[in-house]
Amino acid sequence: MKERILEYLRNSKKYVSGEDISRELNISRTAVWKYINKLKEEGYSIESSSKKGYRLVESPDRLSYEEISPLLDTNYIGRNVLYFDSVASTNDIVREYAQRGEPEGLIAVAEEQTKGRGRMGRRWSTPKGVAIAMSMLLRPNLSPQFVPTITSVIAVSVVEALTSVTGFDIKIKWPNDIVLDGKKLCGILTEMSAEIDAVNHVIIGMGMNINQDDFEDDIKDVAVSLKSYSGKSFERKLILAEILNRFEENYEIFKFHGVSPFIDKIKRFSALLNNRVIISNINEKFEGEAIDIDMDGCLIVRLDNGDVRRVISGDVSVRGLYGYTP
Ligand code: BT5
């Protein structure tokens, strides 16, 4: 009901009387008043006048369904939103729903994560109300070996969305970081549950720094937010909706044609190509020059002895960016 009152207020730019709302939605005047108070508590600025009724003046930058959905062009991505004020990790929430058979497109969004995860058990910081923490459920009909390339498709969608909203020079640090001004703006965590030859589900988690003024000591040399870079605040809901819009379009292409239609963009947005890189995998660590990204989305690295290596996944550090220690 709260959502319907909000929609009603949003649709009529002027004052609407409590009586009109109560008649239209078939609830008592007292109930209208209670829901209006609830909306105010959630940060909606609503003017009340005993003569004229209520008027919505401003909506908060919340990442709830009511705020994101008017900005979405999608058919299924983000049409089902689990919204949390505070949660351990949005990836864990989506995993629970995935195991219960939820269809693809579901997203979980949180204003704060208390146990946000990076890859390999690393920590991801999501302070309250200033970042985006979002996880998305997908069920691509793919062989598991191709799943890591979805990370590149979301990365392209993120760069496209951020470039269109901010105009900043945003890059991809293959495979899962989004970079601004040589620092990490966004990290992507792709997790999957699969049999040998079939995917059960894929969860893409995305953490993005938007309006942080500064960062905790352990990440202050590596992290950047849109605000710490530009001094300006940004509306998180606009950015999230734009990412979901771009992603659905790209994911539809990916489902039928794989990652190859994205390779040109992946290369164009790359922070690695033609740079010296150090690759660390579970088993090995080596250094060389990033010379290409092939049609399967793998990074091609030329070692100093001339050998060429094809890298499917791993941690990459690149000269000129955070975390490069040759
Ligand atoms: C990642 O891991 O970059 C993937 C991060 C994914 C986070 C999202 S948020 C929604 C969803 N729910 C979750 O629980 N996770 C996902 P990795 O490449 O391992 O990078 C982790 C490293 O990034 C840490 O060791 C820190 O050095 C650094 N870091 C942590 N928080 C950061 C932040 N807010 N901004 C920039 N760097 C950060």
Side-chain angles (χ1 to χ4, degrees):
M1 186 52 69
K2 195 180 67 196
E3 290 74 27
R4 292 186 62 197
I5 293 184
L6 184 58
E7 203 186 329
Y8 197 80
L9 290 175
R10 215 178 239 144
N11 289 341
S12 71
K13 306 270 179 288
K14 306 179 300 218
Y15 274 97
V16 281
S17 71
E19 202 178 320
D20 281 354
I21 303 176
S22 113
R23 191 173 346 96
E24 191 68 29
L25 303 181
N26 205 13
I27 53 172
S28 70
R29 295 276 304 266
T30 324
V32 172
W33 178 79
K34 277 192 186 147
Y35 285 120
I36 294 274
N37 281 345
K38 189 100 194 39
L39 286 168
K40 284 183 180 168
E41 275 165 28
E42 288 175 7
Y44 289 87
S45 160
I46 298 170
E47 270 176 13
S48 324
S49 140
S50 50
K51 286 203 189 98
K52 293 187 272 183
Y54 304 103
R55 187 173 76 94
L56 178 64
V57 181
E58 207 180 334
S59 300
D61 187 21
R62 271 159 65 95
L63 300 175
S64 57
Y65 180 74
E66 298 85 68
E67 288 305 306
I68 304 169
S69 64
L71 306 166
L72 287 181
D73 301 328
T74 59
N75 289 316
Y76 58 97
I77 297 286
R79 289 294 171 185
N80 190 359
V81 179
L82 304 166
Y83 172 75
F84 300 90
D85 198 41
S86 179
V87 83
S89 156
T90 51
N91 263 41
D92 295 348
I93 301 279
V94 170
R95 192 192 311 119
E96 285 168 28
Y97 278 77
Q99 285 165 348
R100 282 189 238 145
E102 187 75 22
E104 70 175 352
L106 168 83
I107 64 169
V109 199
E111 297 291 343
E112 170 190 54
Q113 290 186 122
T114 53
K115 286 202 176 106
R117 290 188 282 114
R119 295 178 301 162
M120 291 173 280
R122 290 187 284 238
R123 184 181 86 86
W124 183 261
S125 152
T126 317
K128 197 162 203 158
V130 287
I132 298 176
M134 185 272 301
S135 300
M136 180 174 8
L137 172 61
L138 300 175
R139 297 190 184 275
N141 190 6
L142 280 184
S143 166
Q145 79 202 76
F146 296 114
V147 166
T149 56
I150 290 188
T151 305
S152 293
V153 177
I154 184 88
V156 164
S157 313
V158 167
V159 174
E160 288 179 334
L162 283 175
T163 313
S164 85
V165 174
T166 67
F168 300 156
D169 184 21
I170 313 266
K171 295 265 186 246
I172 302 172
K173 177 169 161 286
W174 185 95
N176 75 311
D177 289 4
I178 306 294
V179 175
L180 169 65
D181 195 28
K183 292 186 173 176
K184 185 158 173 169
L185 178 70
C186 166
I188 298 162
L189 173 68
T190 304
E191 298 183 308
M192 118 173 120
S193 150
E195 312 293 321
I196 296 217
D197 53 1
V199 172
N200 297 327
H201 66 250
V202 173
I203 299 168
I204 298 182
M206 188 203 74
M208 187 181 290
N209 304 320
I210 309 282
N211 291 327
Q212 286 101 318
D213 289 309
D214 44 33
F215 292 92
E216 299 101 312
D217 282 349
D218 61 327
I219 55 170
K220 71 164 181 275
D221 295 333
V222 303
V224 66
S225 75
L226 294 178
K227 187 172 182 198
S228 71
Y229 169 70
S230 67
K232 273 185 12 195
S233 292
F234 285 82
E235 270 201 295
R236 296 174 306 150
K237 59 187 175 191
L238 256 180
I239 291 172
L240 177 58
E242 190 61 18
I243 291 170
L244 298 173
N245 288 339
R246 301 275 174 157
F247 179 70
E248 185 174 285
E249 225 172 86
N250 289 333
Y251 182 54
E252 284 297 303
I253 298 171
F254 174 80
K255 278 186 196 166
F256 293 100
H257 305 286
V259 77
S260 53
F262 300 96
I263 298 300
D264 278 352
K265 284 182 180 166
I266 294 172
K267 287 191 199 178
R268 192 162 4 112
F269 299 154
S270 174
L272 300 188
L273 288 185
N274 308 317
N275 279 303
R276 202 144 178 93
V277 291
I278 301 172
I279 311 287
S280 328
N281 282 321
I282 303 169
N283 313 318
E284 55 175 356
K285 185 169 176 176
F286 56 90
E287 194 170 340
E289 191 187 339
I291 55 170
D292 201 6
I293 288 166
D294 72 10
M295 289 312 274
D296 299 323
C298 295
L299 182 69
I300 309 296
V301 178
R302 187 170 49 222
L303 310 192
D304 293 340
N305 67 7
D307 286 357
V308 170
R309 301 280 280 273
R310 185 169 178 266
V311 189
I312 299 171
S313 67
D315 265 336
V316 185
S317 59
V318 56
R319 185 163 60 196
L321 297 190
Y322 54 93
Y324 180 79
T325 37

